[in-house]
Amino acid sequence: MTQTNTHAASPSADALASADRSDLAETSADFVTDVDCEPIRLTEYWPYQVTVLADRIARLTAAIVKREAGLNLSQWRVLAAIAEAPGRTAVEVVTVTPMDKGIVSRATKALLEGGLVVRRASQADGRVSHLYLTSKGKTVYARLRQAVEVVPLAANRMMDAGEQGAFCSLVTRLANSVPDEAR
């Protein structure tokens, strides 16, 4: 009885390896070692430097709120937004924080479940609810607020009060001048 090779159309392992090597050769030819235009000097490109600064601030803040209260950065931002203006809606929290509505929703849910925040239906529109810190939330916020004050200390030591105000004003103006394509 003759055995039929059911894999006749399948390439052999050697053919696959050879094809992989030829793909690799074609791909390596596509690598460019020099850029045809002048590259951006990241140390002199302020948008990049602002991103580096923001990342350092976010990582330090995240470590502090995790250590002090077991919260993540998104939860801290929601908590701070509500503490700043009690009664904010989730939509308002999205507006004042650099987070999308899904992240705000998950953070708010965790804060509600943790007993740090309560939700109250609007008297004017039952479809809208307002967020408030609970007593526990106020206590946690007060502790975290004090703890995160260390974040700007190093920078504050290198700028006097006038420079700090000017810097904050400039950053706000820059943020307002750059279009937010995500929203």
Side-chain angles (χ1 to χ4, degrees):
M1 181 167 193
T2 340
Q3 209 172 25
T4 310
N5 184 354
T6 58
H7 301 290
S10 301
S12 69
D14 289 339
L16 286 174
S18 174
D20 287 345
R21 282 191 297 277
S22 68
D23 286 347
L24 182 60
E26 290 172 8
T27 306
S28 66
D30 293 336
F31 287 124
V32 177
T33 55
D34 292 331
V35 178
D36 292 336
C37 62
E38 183 67 26
I40 293 173
R41 303 288 176 214
L42 297 179
T43 58
E44 300 165 7
Y45 188 63
W46 72 261
Y48 177 79
Q49 293 301 319
V50 168
T51 301
V52 170
L53 176 61
D55 182 64
R56 286 182 182 176
I57 291 168
R59 284 187 285 125
L60 180 55
T61 303
I64 291 168
V65 299
K66 181 71 170 177
R67 180 186 68 236
E68 297 293 323
L71 300 180
N72 65 33
L73 190 56
S74 300
Q75 293 162 349
W76 160 246
R77 288 177 176 165
V78 170
L79 194 73
I82 297 167
E84 180 185 44
R88 275 190 167 140
T89 65
V91 170
E92 292 168 334
V93 172
V94 168
T95 302
V96 300
T97 62
M99 300 183 295
D100 70 39
K101 62 184 178 182
I103 293 171
V104 169
S105 177
R106 287 187 294 278
T108 302
K109 181 180 177 188
L111 295 171
L112 288 164
E113 290 171 355
L116 301 176
V117 171
V118 292
R119 183 177 297 191
R120 301 272 187 254
S122 170
Q123 299 292 333
D125 184 349
R127 297 170 297 173
V128 176
S129 59
H130 300 275
L131 301 166
Y132 299 90
L133 299 184
T134 61
S135 295
K136 179 181 176 183
K138 289 176 184 178
T139 301
V140 168
Y141 175 77
R143 187 173 76 241
L144 288 175
R145 187 196 180 289
Q146 187 176 7
V148 299
E149 285 297 313
V150 303
V151 174
L153 284 181
N156 286 350
R157 284 192 294 269
M158 64 172 284
M159 295 186 286
D160 64 34
E163 289 172 320
Q164 291 172 32
F167 177 72
C168 190
S169 176
L170 179 60
V171 169
T172 300
R173 286 182 19 227
L174 284 168
N176 290 334
S177 73
V178 177
D180 186 357
E181 295 298 322
R183 293 187 186 173

